[in-house]
Amino acid sequence: MFKYNILLLLMFHLLFSSTISFNYGIIGEMKNNADVLVNLKDQTEIVNGDKIRINLGIINNTNIYILYKDTENVYTLLYEKTKNVNSESLLDTAYVTALPWSTLEGVPGNETFYLINTYTELDNLTKLLNRYDSAPKKARTKMAKKIESLLNSIDPNAVEDLSSLTNRLDKPIVGGVAFRGDDDALKPQSLIYECSGSDGIAFKKIILNHK
């Protein structure tokens, strides 16, 4: 009974806590040097033929959404995982591959990824994306603006002053944590950064520069 009460207290603390964080790694296998894996951080340059993989480490009692906007401003929900309230390990970290190795192709421009971790499910966003997927081309253009507006409304960085930029930069994970090797060499499963947020949401926007 005592162990059960402790678990309940931890669950309630997590549920009502305003802070939230997840670990992530966007790994690249570049076609001009496939033997060495690369950390694809914001504004990294990539070209057709490069491969991309996204890894996540998330608390079971949270929700995660990975959205992708291609160079032609088309949105795709790459990955979604909602919390399982029946899980016996709600406070444990789940390690997942949100995007398996995928080869880059298409026209140059900005390849944008949105990584969103929340305590509450983003029903408005998922419903809008479902409507977007089945809408005709003209309607999709208008709905894309609604998706962008909704993303901006939940992105803390979109409304903060640029003077606080240095406080918002993600922290590298300490060597030895998660899947990093002892020599810090990247592996396909590597997690590289920790993204933290407040008010029940951690939001990371990453733009890869497709040349």
Side-chain angles (χ1 to χ4, degrees), residues 82-177:
T82 55
K83 58 187 175 185
N84 180 7
V85 295
N86 296 319
S87 172
E88 295 180 356
S89 55
L90 292 176
L91 304 182
D92 288 349
T93 299
Y95 300 99
V96 299
T97 302
L99 177 68
W101 286 117
S102 301
T103 303
L104 182 69
E105 56 186 22
V107 299
N110 288 336
E111 308 281 0
T112 308
F113 296 87
Y114 302 88
L115 286 60
I116 310 170
N117 189 209
T118 65
Y119 285 130
T120 58
E121 295 184 25
L122 300 178
D123 292 333
N124 290 342
L125 179 60
T126 54
K127 288 177 181 177
L128 183 57
L129 287 166
N130 287 335
R131 290 170 49 206
Y132 173 81
D133 287 340
S134 58
K137 188 173 182 179
K138 279 189 176 181
R140 282 168 67 111
T141 301
K142 184 178 294 185
M143 293 180 69
K145 294 180 180 179
K146 291 184 178 180
I147 294 173
E148 181 179 7
S149 178
L150 181 54
L151 289 171
N152 286 337
S153 72
I154 61 178
D155 178 6
N157 297 341
V159 294
E160 288 182 8
D161 188 87
L162 288 177
S163 63
S164 61
L165 176 63
T166 54
N167 295 324
R168 302 198 311 264
L169 296 178
D170 290 348
K171 298 180 294 184
I173 296 174
V174 177
V177 175

Side-chain angles (χ1 to χ4, degrees), residues 30-82:
M30 320 311 272
K31 72 173 186 178
N32 61 354
N33 188 7
D35 294 332
V36 178
L37 298 181
V38 176
N39 169 23
L40 298 180
K41 52 189 176 181
D42 193 47
Q43 300 301 325
T44 298
E45 292 187 0
I46 52 178
V47 299
N48 282 342
D50 290 345
K51 294 182 179 180
I52 300 172
R53 171 175 169 147
I54 300 178
N55 304 314
L56 299 172
I58 55 175
I59 302 298
N60 282 337
N61 194 36
T62 64
N63 310 286
I64 191 78
Y65 306 87
I66 308 298
L67 274 72
Y68 165 61
K69 183 175 71 171
D70 67 16
T71 58
E72 298 180 282
N73 295 320
V74 175
Y75 284 93
T76 303
L77 181 60
L78 290 181
Y79 184 82
E80 175 186 7
K81 182 179 183 296
T82 55

